[in-house]
Amino acid sequence: QVQLVESGGGSVQAGGSLKLSCVVSGYTARSVNDCKGWFRQAPGKEREGVAAIYTLSGNTYYSDSVKGRFTISQDNAKNTLYLQMNSLKPEDTAMYYCAAARGMCYRLNRDDYDSWGQGTQVTVSS
């Protein structure tokens, strides 16, 4: 049903910036609870929620580890989700995934999300 495809990953030096994109297809917002998020997973670690946005309201939520550095946004006319990442740190190195849900995205819990992209790699060097 819902398909998501990430792009924009790459290698960057600490302190640099990257902008990730996620094209969403087969998706129409049906309620105020419809939402999307960005997650990341580093080797040997659990998948971690970093940011979420509600499709209709535009309300955003962030994990403490990225607050003030990352910005989630969307262009609903283009069916695209974005993650602007500034002041990158080596600990931000991970595979980044976008996802969609019809639930409590603000909790940034992977179990609340129903549809996932395949991921894009972000590597930050010191």
Side-chain angles (χ1 to χ4, degrees):
Q1 292 269 75
V2 179
Q3 297 181 358
L4 306 96
V5 180
E6 305 95 334
S7 63
S11 298
V12 66
Q13 296 181 97
S17 299
L18 283 173
K19 187 174 184 178
L20 307 183
S21 298
C22 173
V23 176
V24 185
S25 61
Y27 177 87
T28 302
R30 298 175 61 186
S31 82
V32 296
N33 296 319
D34 291 345
C35 46
K36 310 177 190 71
W38 287 96
F39 288 72
R40 65 187 183 186
Q41 188 166 24
K45 301 186 67 176
E46 295 183 353
R47 191 167 297 188
E48 171 192 24
V50 299
I53 187 167
Y54 280 76
T55 306
L56 295 181
S57 71
N59 291 342
T60 59
Y61 302 86
Y62 298 91
S63 68
D64 290 339
S65 63
V66 308
K67 192 174 300 181
R69 299 189 297 122
F70 291 10
T71 302
I72 188 171
S73 62
Q74 63 189 349
D75 186 337
N76 290 337
K78 297 181 179 180
N79 300 313
T80 304
L81 178 72
Y82 303 98
L83 185 67
Q84 178 67 52
M85 304 183 293
N86 298 325
S87 302
L88 283 162
K89 306 174 181 179
E91 49 263 46
D92 295 318
T93 295
M95 185 73 72
Y96 282 72
Y97 302 87
C98 60
R102 300 188 187 277
M104 294 176 283
C105 283
Y106 68 91
R107 303 196 301 186
L108 296 173
N109 188 322
R110 62 181 295 180
D111 293 332
D112 293 326
Y113 290 75
D114 301 312
S115 302
W116 294 85
Q118 294 300 306
T120 185
Q121 178 68 39
V122 172
T123 302
V124 184
S125 60
S126 60

